[in-house]
PDB file of all heavy atoms in Angstrom:
ATOM      1  N   GLU B 184       8.337  -1.983  11.590  1.00  0.00           N
ATOM      2  CA  GLU B 184       9.617  -2.595  11.975  1.00  0.00           C
ATOM      3  C   GLU B 184       9.526  -3.291  13.330  1.00  0.00           C
ATOM      4  O   GLU B 184      10.542  -3.615  13.930  1.00  0.00           O
ATOM      5  CB  GLU B 184      10.755  -1.562  12.043  1.00  0.00           C
ATOM      6  CG  GLU B 184      11.202  -1.003  10.718  1.00  0.00           C
ATOM      7  CD  GLU B 184      12.123  -1.926   9.930  1.00  0.00           C
ATOM      8  OE1 GLU B 184      12.158  -3.139  10.223  1.00  0.00           O
ATOM      9  OE2 GLU B 184      12.790  -1.415   9.020  1.00  0.00           O
ATOM     10  N   ASP B 185       8.338  -3.501  13.807  1.00  0.00           N
ATOM     11  CA  ASP B 185       8.164  -4.104  15.123  1.00  0.00           C
ATOM     12  C   ASP B 185       7.698  -5.555  14.975  1.00  0.00           C
ATOM     13  O   ASP B 185       6.638  -5.822  14.410  1.00  0.00           O
ATOM     14  CB  ASP B 185       7.115  -3.290  15.896  1.00  0.00           C
ATOM     15  CG  ASP B 185       6.816  -3.879  17.265  1.00  0.00           C
ATOM     16  OD1 ASP B 185       6.953  -5.104  17.444  1.00  0.00           O
ATOM     17  OD2 ASP B 185       6.420  -3.099  18.150  1.00  0.00           O
ATOM     18  N   PRO B 186       8.476  -6.501  15.494  1.00  0.00           N
ATOM     19  CA  PRO B 186       8.136  -7.918  15.325  1.00  0.00           C
ATOM     20  C   PRO B 186       6.755  -8.258  15.873  1.00  0.00           C
ATOM     21  O   PRO B 186       6.075  -9.128  15.310  1.00  0.00           O
ATOM     22  CB  PRO B 186       9.214  -8.636  16.130  1.00  0.00           C
ATOM     23  CG  PRO B 186      10.336  -7.682  16.209  1.00  0.00           C
ATOM     24  CD  PRO B 186       9.736  -6.314  16.214  1.00  0.00           C
ATOM     25  N   ASP B 187       6.345  -7.602  16.923  1.00  0.00           N
ATOM     26  CA  ASP B 187       5.035  -7.914  17.490  1.00  0.00           C
ATOM     27  C   ASP B 187       3.908  -7.418  16.592  1.00  0.00           C
ATOM     28  O   ASP B 187       2.930  -8.117  16.363  1.00  0.00           O
ATOM     29  CB  ASP B 187       4.900  -7.320  18.894  1.00  0.00           C
ATOM     30  CG  ASP B 187       5.840  -8.009  19.874  1.00  0.00           C
ATOM     31  OD1 ASP B 187       6.193  -9.183  19.633  1.00  0.00           O
ATOM     32  OD2 ASP B 187       6.237  -7.371  20.860  1.00  0.00           O
ATOM     33  N   ASP B 188       4.077  -6.215  16.090  1.00  0.00           N
ATOM     34  CA  ASP B 188       3.104  -5.714  15.118  1.00  0.00           C
ATOM     35  C   ASP B 188       3.063  -6.632  13.905  1.00  0.00           C
ATOM     36  O   ASP B 188       2.000  -6.949  13.377  1.00  0.00           O
ATOM     37  CB  ASP B 188       3.499  -4.311  14.645  1.00  0.00           C
ATOM     38  CG  ASP B 188       3.012  -3.237  15.584  1.00  0.00           C
ATOM     39  OD1 ASP B 188       2.935  -3.515  16.791  1.00  0.00           O
ATOM     40  OD2 ASP B 188       2.721  -2.125  15.110  1.00  0.00           O
ATOM     41  N   GLU B 189       4.225  -7.018  13.486  1.00  0.00           N
ATOM     42  CA  GLU B 189       4.312  -7.893  12.324  1.00  0.00           C
ATOM     43  C   GLU B 189       3.531  -9.171  12.557  1.00  0.00           C
ATOM     44  O   GLU B 189       2.743  -9.610  11.713  1.00  0.00           O
ATOM     45  CB  GLU B 189       5.773  -8.227  12.044  1.00  0.00           C
ATOM     46  CG  GLU B 189       5.982  -9.265  10.979  1.00  0.00           C
ATOM     47  CD  GLU B 189       7.468  -9.513  10.751  1.00  0.00           C
ATOM     48  OE1 GLU B 189       8.073  -8.724  10.022  1.00  0.00           O
ATOM     49  OE2 GLU B 189       8.023 -10.487  11.302  1.00  0.00           O
ATOM     50  N   PHE B 190       3.737  -9.743  13.718  1.00  0.00           N
ATOM     51  CA  PHE B 190       3.061 -10.986  14.074  1.00  0.00           C
ATOM     52  C   PHE B 190       1.552 -10.790  14.085  1.00  0.00           C
ATOM     53  O   PHE B 190       0.792 -11.586  13.529  1.00  0.00           O
ATOM     54  CB  PHE B 190       3.557 -11.437  15.450  1.00  0.00           C
ATOM     55  CG  PHE B 190       2.981 -12.730  15.911  1.00  0.00           C
ATOM     56  CD1 PHE B 190       3.095 -13.882  15.145  1.00  0.00           C
ATOM     57  CD2 PHE B 190       2.320 -12.810  17.133  1.00  0.00           C
ATOM     58  CE1 PHE B 190       2.564 -15.085  15.575  1.00  0.00           C
ATOM     59  CE2 PHE B 190       1.783 -14.001  17.574  1.00  0.00           C
ATOM     60  CZ  PHE B 190       1.901 -15.139  16.795  1.00  0.00           C
ATOM     61  N   GLU B 191       1.153  -9.720  14.705  1.00  0.00           N
ATOM     62  CA  GLU B 191      -0.277  -9.424  14.777  1.00  0.00           C
ATOM     63  C   GLU B 191      -0.900  -9.281  13.389  1.00  0.00           C
ATOM     64  O   GLU B 191      -1.956  -9.855  13.103  1.00  0.00           O
ATOM     65  CB  GLU B 191      -0.453  -8.118  15.561  1.00  0.00           C
ATOM     66  CG  GLU B 191      -1.884  -7.730  15.827  1.00  0.00           C
ATOM     67  CD  GLU B 191      -1.950  -6.356  16.503  1.00  0.00           C
ATOM     68  OE1 GLU B 191      -1.020  -6.022  17.273  1.00  0.00           O
ATOM     69  OE2 GLU B 191      -2.908  -5.615  16.232  1.00  0.00           O
ATOM     70  N   GLU B 192      -0.225  -8.544  12.541  1.00  0.00           N
ATOM     71  CA  GLU B 192      -0.770  -8.317  11.204  1.00  0.00           C
ATOM     72  C   GLU B 192      -0.745  -9.591  10.363  1.00  0.00           C
ATOM     73  O   GLU B 192      -1.664  -9.847   9.586  1.00  0.00           O
ATOM     74  CB  GLU B 192       0.002  -7.205  10.491  1.00  0.00           C
ATOM     75  CG  GLU B 192      -0.128  -5.835  11.146  1.00  0.00           C
ATOM     76  CD  GLU B 192      -1.535  -5.259  11.032  1.00  0.00           C
ATOM     77  OE1 GLU B 192      -2.407  -5.878  10.402  1.00  0.00           O
ATOM     78  OE2 GLU B 192      -1.760  -4.170  11.596  1.00  0.00           O
ATOM     79  N   ALA B 193       0.298 -10.359  10.532  1.00  0.00           N
ATOM     80  CA  ALA B 193       0.374 -11.618   9.784  1.00  0.00           C
ATOM     81  C   ALA B 193      -0.772 -12.524  10.209  1.00  0.00           C
ATOM     82  O   ALA B 193      -1.391 -13.203   9.381  1.00  0.00           O
ATOM     83  CB  ALA B 193       1.715 -12.299  10.024  1.00  0.00           C
ATOM     84  N   ASN B 194      -1.076 -12.514  11.484  1.00  0.00           N
ATOM     85  CA  ASN B 194      -2.189 -13.309  11.972  1.00  0.00           C
ATOM     86  C   ASN B 194      -3.520 -12.806  11.424  1.00  0.00           C
ATOM     87  O   ASN B 194      -4.368 -13.593  11.012  1.00  0.00           O
ATOM     88  CB  ASN B 194      -2.228 -13.268  13.498  1.00  0.00           C
ATOM     89  CG  ASN B 194      -1.465 -14.419  14.095  1.00  0.00           C
ATOM     90  OD1 ASN B 194      -1.776 -15.575  13.819  1.00  0.00           O
ATOM     91  ND2 ASN B 194      -0.445 -14.117  14.877  1.00  0.00           N
ATOM     92  N   ARG B 195      -3.652 -11.522  11.423  1.00  0.00           N
ATOM     93  CA  ARG B 195      -4.887 -10.952  10.891  1.00  0.00           C
ATOM     94  C   ARG B 195      -5.093 -11.442   9.454  1.00  0.00           C
ATOM     95  O   ARG B 195      -6.190 -11.833   9.062  1.00  0.00           O
ATOM     96  CB  ARG B 195      -4.793  -9.424  10.921  1.00  0.00           C
ATOM     97  CG  ARG B 195      -6.132  -8.713  10.863  1.00  0.00           C
ATOM     98  CD  ARG B 195      -5.984  -7.259  10.471  1.00  0.00           C
ATOM     99  NE  ARG B 195      -5.235  -6.447  11.416  1.00  0.00           N
ATOM    100  CZ  ARG B 195      -5.776  -5.825  12.463  1.00  0.00           C
ATOM    101  NH1 ARG B 195      -7.059  -5.973  12.713  1.00  0.00           N
ATOM    102  NH2 ARG B 195      -5.040  -5.071  13.250  1.00  0.00           N
ATOM    103  N   MET B 196      -4.027 -11.416   8.708  1.00  0.00           N
ATOM    104  CA  MET B 196      -4.120 -11.881   7.318  1.00  0.00           C
ATOM    105  C   MET B 196      -4.453 -13.367   7.258  1.00  0.00           C
ATOM    106  O   MET B 196      -5.268 -13.804   6.450  1.00  0.00           O
ATOM    107  CB  MET B 196      -2.789 -11.632   6.609  1.00  0.00           C
ATOM    108  CG  MET B 196      -2.525 -10.173   6.327  1.00  0.00           C
ATOM    109  SD  MET B 196      -0.948  -9.940   5.483  1.00  0.00           S
ATOM    110  CE  MET B 196      -0.985  -8.153   5.245  1.00  0.00           C
ATOM    111  N   LEU B 197      -3.797 -14.114   8.099  1.00  0.00           N
ATOM    112  CA  LEU B 197      -4.028 -15.559   8.144  1.00  0.00           C
ATOM    113  C   LEU B 197      -5.497 -15.864   8.407  1.00  0.00           C
ATOM    114  O   LEU B 197      -6.108 -16.686   7.726  1.00  0.00           O
ATOM    115  CB  LEU B 197      -3.161 -16.163   9.244  1.00  0.00           C
ATOM    116  CG  LEU B 197      -3.213 -17.672   9.417  1.00  0.00           C
ATOM    117  CD1 LEU B 197      -2.608 -18.360   8.214  1.00  0.00           C
ATOM    118  CD2 LEU B 197      -2.494 -18.094  10.696  1.00  0.00           C
ATOM    119  N   HIS B 198      -6.060 -15.196   9.389  1.00  0.00           N
ATOM    120  CA  HIS B 198      -7.443 -15.472   9.768  1.00  0.00           C
ATOM    121  C   HIS B 198      -8.424 -14.970   8.717  1.00  0.00           C
ATOM    122  O   HIS B 198      -9.548 -15.429   8.638  1.00  0.00           O
ATOM    123  CB  HIS B 198      -7.748 -14.846  11.126  1.00  0.00           C
ATOM    124  CG  HIS B 198      -6.791 -15.300  12.178  1.00  0.00           C
ATOM    125  ND1 HIS B 198      -6.470 -14.569  13.279  1.00  0.00           N
ATOM    126  CD2 HIS B 198      -6.038 -16.427  12.259  1.00  0.00           C
ATOM    127  CE1 HIS B 198      -5.584 -15.223  14.003  1.00  0.00           C
ATOM    128  NE2 HIS B 198      -5.299 -16.343  13.409  1.00  0.00           N
ATOM    129  N   ARG B 199      -7.955 -14.012   7.972  1.00  0.00           N
ATOM    130  CA  ARG B 199      -8.785 -13.513   6.887  1.00  0.00           C
ATOM    131  C   ARG B 199      -8.580 -14.362   5.640  1.00  0.00           C
ATOM    132  O   ARG B 199      -9.124 -14.083   4.586  1.00  0.00           O
ATOM    133  CB  ARG B 199      -8.427 -12.056   6.598  1.00  0.00           C
ATOM    134  CG  ARG B 199      -9.584 -11.215   6.184  1.00  0.00           C
ATOM    135  CD  ARG B 199      -9.193  -9.759   6.207  1.00  0.00           C
ATOM    136  NE  ARG B 199      -9.553  -9.130   7.450  1.00  0.00           N
ATOM    137  CZ  ARG B 199     -10.805  -8.800   7.774  1.00  0.00           C
ATOM    138  NH1 ARG B 199     -11.787  -9.051   6.951  1.00  0.00           N
ATOM    139  NH2 ARG B 199     -11.064  -8.224   8.914  1.00  0.00           N
ATOM    140  N   LYS B 200      -7.749 -15.357   5.793  1.00  0.00           N
ATOM    141  CA  LYS B 200      -7.552 -16.353   4.734  1.00  0.00           C
ATOM    142  C   LYS B 200      -6.943 -15.822   3.448  1.00  0.00           C
ATOM    143  O   LYS B 200      -7.355 -16.210   2.349  1.00  0.00           O
ATOM    144  CB  LYS B 200      -8.890 -17.040   4.404  1.00  0.00           C
ATOM    145  CG  LYS B 200      -9.596 -17.654   5.604  1.00  0.00           C
ATOM    146  CD  LYS B 200      -8.772 -18.761   6.213  1.00  0.00           C
ATOM    147  CE  LYS B 200      -9.440 -19.332   7.455  1.00  0.00           C
ATOM    148  NZ  LYS B 200      -8.534 -20.251   8.175  1.00  0.00           N
ATOM    149  N   VAL B 201      -5.966 -14.931   3.593  1.00  0.00           N
ATOM    150  CA  VAL B 201      -5.202 -14.609   2.397  1.00  0.00           C
ATOM    151  C   VAL B 201      -4.521 -15.893   1.947  1.00  0.00           C
ATOM    152  O   VAL B 201      -4.237 -16.778   2.753  1.00  0.00           O
ATOM    153  CB  VAL B 201      -4.132 -13.527   2.658  1.00  0.00           C
ATOM    154  CG1 VAL B 201      -4.770 -12.240   3.133  1.00  0.00           C
ATOM    155  CG2 VAL B 201      -3.076 -14.012   3.626  1.00  0.00           C
ATOM    156  N   GLU B 202      -4.258 -15.991   0.659  1.00  0.00           N
ATOM    157  CA  GLU B 202      -3.681 -17.244   0.166  1.00  0.00           C
ATOM    158  C   GLU B 202      -2.171 -17.291   0.315  1.00  0.00           C
ATOM    159  O   GLU B 202      -1.550 -18.350   0.215  1.00  0.00           O
ATOM    160  CB  GLU B 202      -4.070 -17.446  -1.299  1.00  0.00           C
ATOM    161  CG  GLU B 202      -5.550 -17.673  -1.479  1.00  0.00           C
ATOM    162  CD  GLU B 202      -5.919 -17.871  -2.938  1.00  0.00           C
ATOM    163  OE1 GLU B 202      -5.076 -18.356  -3.708  1.00  0.00           O
ATOM    164  OE2 GLU B 202      -7.054 -17.531  -3.295  1.00  0.00           O
ATOM    165  N   GLY B 203      -1.575 -16.141   0.526  1.00  0.00           N
ATOM    166  CA  GLY B 203      -0.123 -16.085   0.676  1.00  0.00           C
ATOM    167  C   GLY B 203       0.286 -14.673   1.034  1.00  0.00           C
ATOM    168  O   GLY B 203      -0.515 -13.745   0.912  1.00  0.00           O
ATOM    169  N   VAL B 204       1.510 -14.518   1.470  1.00  0.00           N
ATOM    170  CA  VAL B 204       1.971 -13.209   1.919  1.00  0.00           C
ATOM    171  C   VAL B 204       3.377 -12.912   1.406  1.00  0.00           C
ATOM    172  O   VAL B 204       4.251 -13.772   1.444  1.00  0.00           O
ATOM    173  CB  VAL B 204       1.983 -13.135   3.460  1.00  0.00           C
ATOM    174  CG1 VAL B 204       2.533 -11.799   3.929  1.00  0.00           C
ATOM    175  CG2 VAL B 204       0.589 -13.349   4.029  1.00  0.00           C
ATOM    176  N   VAL B 205       3.547 -11.696   0.919  1.00  0.00           N
ATOM    177  CA  VAL B 205       4.892 -11.185   0.670  1.00  0.00           C
ATOM    178  C   VAL B 205       5.244 -10.305   1.852  1.00  0.00           C
ATOM    179  O   VAL B 205       4.499  -9.391   2.186  1.00  0.00           O
ATOM    180  CB  VAL B 205       4.959 -10.351  -0.623  1.00  0.00           C
ATOM    181  CG1 VAL B 205       6.327  -9.699  -0.764  1.00  0.00           C
ATOM    182  CG2 VAL B 205       4.647 -11.205  -1.835  1.00  0.00           C
ATOM    183  N   VAL B 206       6.366 -10.574   2.483  1.00  0.00           N
ATOM    184  CA  VAL B 206       6.706  -9.799   3.681  1.00  0.00           C
ATOM    185  C   VAL B 206       8.147  -9.303   3.651  1.00  0.00           C
ATOM    186  O   VAL B 206       9.047 -10.014   3.227  1.00  0.00           O
ATOM    187  CB  VAL B 206       6.443 -10.631   4.962  1.00  0.00           C
ATOM    188  CG1 VAL B 206       7.105 -11.974   4.885  1.00  0.00           C
ATOM    189  CG2 VAL B 206       6.898  -9.898   6.205  1.00  0.00           C
ATOM    190  N   ILE B 207       8.292  -8.047   4.040  1.00  0.00           N
ATOM    191  CA  ILE B 207       9.618  -7.511   4.318  1.00  0.00           C
ATOM    192  C   ILE B 207       9.766  -7.623   5.822  1.00  0.00           C
ATOM    193  O   ILE B 207       9.210  -6.814   6.563  1.00  0.00           O
ATOM    194  CB  ILE B 207       9.742  -6.048   3.867  1.00  0.00           C
ATOM    195  CG1 ILE B 207       9.506  -5.946   2.361  1.00  0.00           C
ATOM    196  CG2 ILE B 207      11.111  -5.485   4.236  1.00  0.00           C
ATOM    197  CD1 ILE B 207       9.614  -4.542   1.800  1.00  0.00           C
ATOM    198  N   PRO B 208      10.484  -8.634   6.287  1.00  0.00           N
ATOM    199  CA  PRO B 208      10.420  -8.990   7.710  1.00  0.00           C
ATOM    200  C   PRO B 208      11.024  -7.926   8.619  1.00  0.00           C
ATOM    201  O   PRO B 208      12.024  -7.297   8.278  1.00  0.00           O
ATOM    202  CB  PRO B 208      11.255 -10.273   7.785  1.00  0.00           C
ATOM    203  CG  PRO B 208      11.427 -10.741   6.385  1.00  0.00           C
ATOM    204  CD  PRO B 208      11.383  -9.508   5.531  1.00  0.00           C
ATOM    205  N   ALA B 209      10.399  -7.739   9.743  1.00  0.00           N
ATOM    206  CA  ALA B 209      10.988  -6.919  10.793  1.00  0.00           C
ATOM    207  C   ALA B 209      12.096  -7.724  11.447  1.00  0.00           C
ATOM    208  O   ALA B 209      12.061  -8.956  11.461  1.00  0.00           O
ATOM    209  CB  ALA B 209       9.929  -6.547  11.826  1.00  0.00           C
ATOM    210  N   THR B 210      13.094  -7.041  11.956  1.00  0.00           N
ATOM    211  CA  THR B 210      14.197  -7.743  12.602  1.00  0.00           C
ATOM    212  C   THR B 210      13.782  -8.167  14.002  1.00  0.00           C
ATOM    213  O   THR B 210      13.378  -7.337  14.806  1.00  0.00           O
ATOM    214  CB  THR B 210      15.422  -6.821  12.705  1.00  0.00           C
ATOM    215  OG1 THR B 210      15.701  -6.301  11.411  1.00  0.00           O
ATOM    216  CG2 THR B 210      16.623  -7.582  13.219  1.00  0.00           C
ATOM    217  N   PRO B 211      13.862  -9.474  14.289  1.00  0.00           N
ATOM    218  CA  PRO B 211      13.459  -9.945  15.614  1.00  0.00           C
ATOM    219  C   PRO B 211      14.374  -9.349  16.682  1.00  0.00           C
ATOM    220  O   PRO B 211      15.583  -9.240  16.484  1.00  0.00           O
ATOM    221  CB  PRO B 211      13.626 -11.453  15.537  1.00  0.00           C
ATOM    222  CG  PRO B 211      14.250 -11.766  14.234  1.00  0.00           C
ATOM    223  CD  PRO B 211      14.337 -10.540  13.417  1.00  0.00           C
ATOM    224  N   VAL B 212      13.801  -8.933  17.776  1.00  0.00           N
ATOM    225  CA  VAL B 212      14.591  -8.310  18.842  1.00  0.00           C
ATOM    226  C   VAL B 212      15.257  -9.384  19.691  1.00  0.00           C
ATOM    227  O   VAL B 212      16.432  -9.361  19.991  1.00  0.00           O
ATOM    228  CB  VAL B 212      13.694  -7.447  19.751  1.00  0.00           C
ATOM    229  CG1 VAL B 212      14.549  -6.602  20.685  1.00  0.00           C
ATOM    230  CG2 VAL B 212      12.805  -6.570  18.914  1.00  0.00           C
ATOM    231  N   ARG B 213      14.457 -10.358  20.086  1.00  0.00           N
ATOM    232  CA  ARG B 213      14.980 -11.449  20.895  1.00  0.00           C
ATOM    233  C   ARG B 213      14.519 -12.745  20.243  1.00  0.00           C
ATOM    234  O   ARG B 213      13.380 -12.858  19.797  1.00  0.00           O
ATOM    235  CB  ARG B 213      14.435 -11.357  22.319  1.00  0.00           C
ATOM    236  CG  ARG B 213      12.929 -11.251  22.306  1.00  0.00           C
ATOM    237  CD  ARG B 213      12.302 -10.855  23.591  1.00  0.00           C
ATOM    238  NE  ARG B 213      10.854 -10.933  23.425  1.00  0.00           N
ATOM    239  CZ  ARG B 213      10.147 -10.114  22.635  1.00  0.00           C
ATOM    240  NH1 ARG B 213      10.740  -9.139  21.958  1.00  0.00           N
ATOM    241  NH2 ARG B 213       8.841 -10.272  22.499  1.00  0.00           N
ATOM    242  N   GLY B 214      15.406 -13.708  20.204  1.00  0.00           N
ATOM    243  CA  GLY B 214      15.036 -14.996  19.633  1.00  0.00           C
ATOM    244  C   GLY B 214      14.784 -14.920  18.144  1.00  0.00           C
ATOM    245  O   GLY B 214      15.269 -14.011  17.466  1.00  0.00           O
ATOM    246  N   SER B 215      13.989 -15.851  17.658  1.00  0.00           N
ATOM    247  CA  SER B 215      13.793 -15.928  16.217  1.00  0.00           C
ATOM    248  C   SER B 215      12.450 -15.332  15.815  1.00  0.00           C
ATOM    249  O   SER B 215      11.592 -15.066  16.652  1.00  0.00           O
ATOM    250  CB  SER B 215      13.883 -17.372  15.761  1.00  0.00           C
ATOM    251  OG  SER B 215      12.954 -18.148  16.477  1.00  0.00           O
ATOM    252  N   SER B 216      12.296 -15.137  14.548  1.00  0.00           N
ATOM    253  CA  SER B 216      11.093 -14.480  14.022  1.00  0.00           C
ATOM    254  C   SER B 216       9.827 -15.257  14.351  1.00  0.00           C
ATOM    255  O   SER B 216       9.781 -16.473  14.236  1.00  0.00           O
ATOM    256  CB  SER B 216      11.222 -14.333  12.517  1.00  0.00           C
ATOM    257  OG  SER B 216      10.003 -13.909  11.959  1.00  0.00           O
ATOM    258  N   GLN B 217       8.825 -14.530  14.725  1.00  0.00           N
ATOM    259  CA  GLN B 217       7.537 -15.169  15.011  1.00  0.00           C
ATOM    260  C   GLN B 217       6.864 -15.674  13.747  1.00  0.00           C
ATOM    261  O   GLN B 217       5.876 -16.396  13.810  1.00  0.00           O
ATOM    262  CB  GLN B 217       6.620 -14.178  15.743  1.00  0.00           C
ATOM    263  CG  GLN B 217       7.156 -13.774  17.091  1.00  0.00           C
ATOM    264  CD  GLN B 217       6.313 -12.685  17.748  1.00  0.00           C
ATOM    265  OE1 GLN B 217       5.325 -12.956  18.403  1.00  0.00           O
ATOM    266  NE2 GLN B 217       6.709 -11.443  17.555  1.00  0.00           N
ATOM    267  N   LEU B 218       7.449 -15.308  12.614  1.00  0.00           N
ATOM    268  CA  LEU B 218       6.899 -15.820  11.355  1.00  0.00           C
ATOM    269  C   LEU B 218       7.198 -17.308  11.200  1.00  0.00           C
ATOM    270  O   LEU B 218       6.690 -17.968  10.305  1.00  0.00           O
ATOM    271  CB  LEU B 218       7.483 -15.053  10.174  1.00  0.00           C
ATOM    272  CG  LEU B 218       7.069 -13.590  10.073  1.00  0.00           C
ATOM    273  CD1 LEU B 218       7.793 -12.906   8.932  1.00  0.00           C
ATOM    274  CD2 LEU B 218       5.564 -13.477   9.882  1.00  0.00           C
ATOM    275  N   LEU B 219       8.043 -17.819  12.097  1.00  0.00           N
ATOM    276  CA  LEU B 219       8.377 -19.240  12.024  1.00  0.00           C
ATOM    277  C   LEU B 219       7.406 -20.095  12.824  1.00  0.00           C
ATOM    278  O   LEU B 219       7.461 -21.323  12.770  1.00  0.00           O
ATOM    279  CB  LEU B 219       9.799 -19.462  12.556  1.00  0.00           C
ATOM    280  CG  LEU B 219      10.903 -18.868  11.688  1.00  0.00           C
ATOM    281  CD1 LEU B 219      12.248 -18.980  12.382  1.00  0.00           C
ATOM    282  CD2 LEU B 219      10.941 -19.589  10.345  1.00  0.00           C
ATOM    283  N   LEU B 220       6.521 -19.460  13.562  1.00  0.00           N
ATOM    284  CA  LEU B 220       5.595 -20.222  14.396  1.00  0.00           C
ATOM    285  C   LEU B 220       4.695 -21.129  13.554  1.00  0.00           C
ATOM    286  O   LEU B 220       4.426 -20.838  12.391  1.00  0.00           O
ATOM    287  CB  LEU B 220       4.753 -19.256  15.247  1.00  0.00           C
ATOM    288  CG  LEU B 220       5.586 -18.522  16.303  1.00  0.00           C
ATOM    289  CD1 LEU B 220       4.729 -17.517  17.070  1.00  0.00           C
ATOM    290  CD2 LEU B 220       6.228 -19.507  17.272  1.00  0.00           C
ATOM    291  N   PRO B 221       4.254 -22.225  14.155  1.00  0.00           N
ATOM    292  CA  PRO B 221       3.526 -23.241  13.384  1.00  0.00           C
ATOM    293  C   PRO B 221       2.258 -22.734  12.715  1.00  0.00           C
ATOM    294  O   PRO B 221       1.853 -23.274  11.688  1.00  0.00           O
ATOM    295  CB  PRO B 221       3.208 -24.320  14.430  1.00  0.00           C
ATOM    296  CG  PRO B 221       3.429 -23.676  15.750  1.00  0.00           C
ATOM    297  CD  PRO B 221       4.448 -22.620  15.547  1.00  0.00           C
ATOM    298  N   GLU B 222       1.622 -21.704  13.260  1.00  0.00           N
ATOM    299  CA  GLU B 222       0.383 -21.245  12.624  1.00  0.00           C
ATOM    300  C   GLU B 222       0.588 -20.828  11.171  1.00  0.00           C
ATOM    301  O   GLU B 222      -0.353 -20.808  10.386  1.00  0.00           O
ATOM    302  CB  GLU B 222      -0.268 -20.094  13.404  1.00  0.00           C
ATOM    303  CG  GLU B 222       0.683 -19.049  13.911  1.00  0.00           C
ATOM    304  CD  GLU B 222       1.009 -19.268  15.384  1.00  0.00           C
ATOM    305  OE1 GLU B 222       1.526 -20.368  15.693  1.00  0.00           O
ATOM    306  OE2 GLU B 222       0.753 -18.364  16.195  1.00  0.00           O
TER     307      GLU B 222
END
Side-chain angles (χ1 to χ4, degrees):
Chain B
E184 290 281 18
D185 177 332
D187 292 334
D188 276 32
E189 172 179 278
F190 182 56
E191 185 185 328
E192 295 292 357
N194 267 302
R195 200 198 296 272
M196 288 180 178
L197 182 67
H198 305 153
R199 215 168 265 285
K200 306 297 177 190
V201 300
E202 293 180 29
V204 177
V205 173
V206 52
I207 299 180
T210 307
V212 191
R213 52 193 185 292
S215 56
S216 170
Q217 296 174 85
L218 293 176
L219 292 173
L220 292 177
E222 42 261 59

